[in-house]
Amino acid sequence: KQWYQRRVRGVLMELLLHVWVLLFVGVNCLTEDELAAFTPRHPDYTDTNTGLNSVVWAKDNNDGSQTIYTNGIPSHETWTFPNNLTRNPNYIEEINTTLNIFSEPIMRDEPLRCLPLGYLGIATSGVVIDSWFPSQQGCPEVMEFEELDICEGHPSPRNQYHYHHYSPCVQMPVCGEPSTIWGVALDGIPIYGPIGEDGVQLTKADLDECGGKYDSSGRYKYHMTVDPPYSMGCFWGEIRSDVGKNARSFTCSCPFDDRVFSNRRPPRQAPGRMGAGRKSNCKFDNSNTSAPAACVDRYDETYDIGYKWEYQERDVALAPCCPQGQDCGDSCKTENGIKDICVQETKTVPYWTRVAKSYDDDTEMNSAENENMIVGTNDINNGLGPDVSIFGRNVSKGGMNDSNVVANENSVVLVSEVSNGGMNDSNDGMNDSNGGINMGTNDIGVGIPSNNCSFTCRNNLYLIGICFLCMLIAQIIH
C-alpha cells in the first residue's frame, strides 16, 4: 500500500511539473527576431549558377500560423553544377517553396520517425534542409556518397540546392558563443546551430533521438550537429495540413525502406515475402487546412533493406568556429581545407554507422524483421527511461519512470506499433486522444494555437484546475 501511495504521488508530482512548465514556460513560437533571421545571407549576392538573387522571408499571420517562403536560390557561394569533380550531374534551379507552420508547435505523444522524402525544413538562408540520406537505395550516408561544396550543399535530381547537415554559410559559428537560429523544421520547431547555451559544441550524444533538447528556459529546439543524423532524426511536433508539402512525400523510406529508389537495384526481400509497397504516412485535412495532419509511422516489417545501423566509436572533426572578434568570412571551409584563422577541435563520439548484413543461411534472412537497429543515442522516450530508444511493434513501456521493456541498451527494434503503459497510455484518460495532458511533452492535447505565441486564457484555467485537482488527490492519498 505504501509503495502504491508513493507511486501515485510520484505520478501526480510529475503531472504537476509538466503543467507548471506549460503555464509558466510554454512552447514558444518563432519570435520576431527569429522570423527576421530568414533573409538572404548577402541580399545583393547573385548566384553564379542561375544568375538569380535569393528571396527568403518569414512572417507571423496572426491567425495561429507562420509562413516561410524561399525561391531556393542560395545567397552564398556554391560550386558550379553540374560538377565533374563530385560527379553530380544536376543543376541549380529556382524552386519556390512555401512552408506553413503552427505559431505554437503542438508536441506529439510519440515522435514521427518516418521522415518524408525531400526537405525536412528551411534554413534562414532560404536553402532547404534534407535528411542525411541521398536518393539512393541502400540508404548510404551522404558523406560517404558524395563530396559537398564549400557551403556543404549540392543540387538534387529535382535541381533543388539543399543541405544535408550543418552549413557555416548559414551562420558563422563563433567559438564559445551559443548558436543562434539556423532554420525551422516542418513541424514548426526552431533549428539552432551546433553550439549550446554553455558555449560548448553539441554532438548527437548530447541530444535526444530527434536531434533536439530543451534549453534552460524550457523551450524545445533541434540542433544541427556534425554527426548523424546531422539535423532531425524524427519530428516531435505536429505538421499542419497546409504545410505546403505533397502528402505523397510522407512515406517511410530511409533508413527503414529504400524501395522508392528501386530504379537503382532490385530490392532485397526475405524469401517468400513481398513488400507492401509505398504508403503515405500522413492524411491531410482538406476541409480544415489549419488542423494537424494525421501522421503515423508505417513500416513494412517484411522488408529487409540489407543493412543495419550500429554505434561505432569514431573521432569526428567538430564544426570549425571563428575566434571571437575575428572576421573569418562566410565559411571556414575552403577547397584546400580549413582556414588557418579558424579553430577546429576533434571529439570521439558514438557514430551511427551503416553496416551491411551478412546472410549465412535462410534462417537469418527470414528473421530480418526482428533485426535490432540503432536509431538514437540519448533518447529517453519523453523522459521515461535512460539510453534506450524504441521503434517497436507491440512493445510496451511501463509507468512514468520505468525503463523501456527492451533487451538491448542503445538499440532499437524496427517494428511498427508502440504502446505505452501507465500515464502515457493512449487509452488512458489522462492521455486520451480527444485531448488530455500528454506527459513528457509541452502539448495541451491538440489545442488550437493562439495568435500571440502564448497559451490561451481558457487553456490556462484548465491547467490551473488540474493543478488543484492533483493536489487534492495527493492530500487524500496522503
Side-chain angles (χ1 to χ4, degrees):
K1 182 179 179 180
Q2 291 179 345
W3 176 89
Y4 176 77
Q5 290 176 335
R6 289 196 301 270
R7 180 67 173 165
V8 173
R9 283 199 296 270
V11 170
L12 290 173
M13 291 305 296
E14 185 81 11
L15 177 60
L16 286 170
L17 174 62
H18 284 87
V19 171
W20 180 88
V21 170
L22 288 170
L23 280 170
F24 300 105
V25 177
V27 180
N28 297 325
C29 62
L30 296 183
T31 65
E32 290 185 6
D33 288 342
E34 289 173 334
L35 291 171
F38 286 85
T39 186
R41 177 80 180 267
H42 301 291
D44 298 328
Y45 179 81
T46 300
D47 174 53
T48 56
N49 285 272
T50 61
L52 300 175
N53 295 93
S54 172
V55 178
V56 56
W57 49 261
K59 67 175 183 176
D60 192 292
N61 299 315
N62 296 319
D63 61 357
S65 70
Q66 295 176 333
T67 298
I68 297 91
Y69 167 82
T70 175
N71 68 350
I73 300 298
S75 58
H76 52 66
E77 184 179 356
T78 68
W79 285 350
T80 299
F81 293 98
N83 191 286
N84 293 328
L85 177 64
T86 64
R87 297 182 179 178
N88 187 316
N90 307 313
Y91 294 83
I92 297 178
E93 292 182 357
E94 180 179 19
I95 297 181
N96 298 315
T97 302
T98 301
L99 172 62
N100 295 311
I101 60 175
F102 289 111
S103 293
E104 295 170 2
I106 299 176
M107 305 297 279
R108 298 170 55 90
D109 295 337
E110 289 286 333
L112 181 66
R113 297 177 172 101
C114 280
L115 297 178
L117 300 171
Y119 67 93
L120 307 180
I122 298 177
T124 56
S125 64
V127 174
V128 297
I129 310 160
D130 280 22
S131 75
W132 59 300
F133 299 106
S135 300
Q136 295 286 325
Q137 274 209 313
C139 299
E141 182 188 339
V142 68
M143 297 295 286
E144 299 172 353
F145 178 74
E146 178 185 335
E147 183 180 1
L148 304 178
D149 70 14
I150 188 175
C151 287
E152 306 293 358
H154 67 171
S156 69
R158 293 183 60 239
N159 296 328
Q160 185 174 42
Y161 185 82
H162 60 280
Y163 308 126
H164 285 278
H165 56 91
Y166 179 72
S167 171
C169 297
V170 177
Q171 55 174 220
M172 171 61 72
V174 179
C175 302
E177 291 187 5
S179 294
T180 56
I181 188 170
W182 194 89
V184 66
L186 293 179
D187 59 1
I189 295 175
I191 307 168
Y192 271 62
I195 302 180
E197 292 179 291
D198 58 359
V200 177
Q201 191 163 158
L202 302 168
T203 63
K204 180 64 180 71
D206 302 307
L207 307 171
D208 65 18
E209 69 168 303
C210 293
K213 63 182 297 187
Y214 286 91
D215 63 18
S216 58
S217 68
R219 187 186 189 196
Y220 186 82
K221 304 171 182 174
Y222 297 124
H223 285 272
M224 302 297 294
T225 62
V226 295
D227 55 335
Y230 303 114
S231 59
M232 290 72 67
C234 48
F235 287 141
W236 264 122
E238 298 281 11
I239 295 169
R240 286 178 64 97
S241 290
D242 62 351
V243 64
K245 192 172 174 66
N246 193 306
R248 289 180 297 176
S249 67
F250 287 85
T251 185
C252 203
S253 59
C254 292
F256 311 109
D257 198 324
D258 61 350
R259 283 170 295 175
V260 69
F261 313 119
S262 59
N263 60 318
R264 302 314 199 279
R265 65 172 174 81
R268 181 188 294 272
Q269 294 283 353
R273 291 187 168 183
M274 294 299 293
R278 181 178 174 183
K279 293 182 179 179
S280 175
N281 292 344
C282 293
K283 183 178 181 180
F284 294 156
D285 188 345
N286 295 324
S287 63
N288 182 13
T289 56
S290 63
C295 296
V296 296
D297 289 322
R298 296 182 189 273
Y299 307 102
D300 179 1
E301 300 164 32
T302 67
Y303 180 71
D304 177 25
I305 197 172
Y307 296 91
K308 61 182 178 180
W309 278 259
E310 62 185 28
Y311 284 112
Q312 296 181 359
E313 194 171 87
R314 184 185 299 187
D315 292 335
V316 299
L318 299 181
C321 59
C322 186
Q324 297 182 17
Q326 300 293 321
D327 182 5
C328 300
D330 282 356
S331 174
C332 283
K333 181 180 178 180
T334 69
E335 295 182 10
N336 300 316
I338 304 302
K339 294 178 181 177
D340 292 338
I341 192 175
C342 296
V343 178
Q344 186 174 40
E345 298 178 347
T346 301
K347 186 175 182 179
T348 302
V349 301
Y351 196 91
W352 201 8
T353 306
R354 185 184 70 149
V355 179
K357 293 180 182 179
S358 60
Y359 299 97
D360 298 329
D361 52 48
D362 290 342
T363 302
E364 184 176 354
M365 188 69 171
N366 279 312
S367 65
E369 66 187 73
N370 296 319
E371 188 74 34
N372 283 350
M373 295 181 67
I374 302 296
V375 297
T377 51
N378 252 353
D379 175 45
I380 55 175
N381 287 306
N382 291 348
L384 299 185
D387 295 317
V388 180
S389 175
I390 300 176
F391 280 10
R393 169 172 52 92
N394 299 328
V395 176
S396 299
K397 295 200 293 267
M400 287 302 301
N401 292 314
D402 289 350
S403 298
N404 299 312
V405 188
V406 176
N408 297 328
E409 181 173 322
N410 288 336
S411 68
V412 180
V413 181
L414 177 60
V415 282
S416 57
E417 297 175 4
V418 179
S419 60
N420 307 318
M423 292 298 294
N424 214 22
D425 192 334
S426 59
N427 295 318
D428 188 278
M430 276 296 187
N431 199 26
D432 189 85
S433 60
N434 292 323
I437 298 299
N438 301 319
M439 301 310 301
T441 69
N442 278 348
D443 174 38
I444 310 177
V446 289
I448 298 174
S450 63
N451 294 343
N452 59 357
C453 306
S454 62
F455 289 107
T456 62
C457 178
R458 181 180 64 179
N459 283 334
N460 282 341
L461 291 176
Y462 287 159
L463 291 171
I464 292 171
I466 292 173
C467 283
F468 282 113
L469 178 61
C470 292
M471 288 187 289
L472 178 61
I473 295 173
Q475 287 297 319
I476 294 173
I477 294 174
H478 182 72

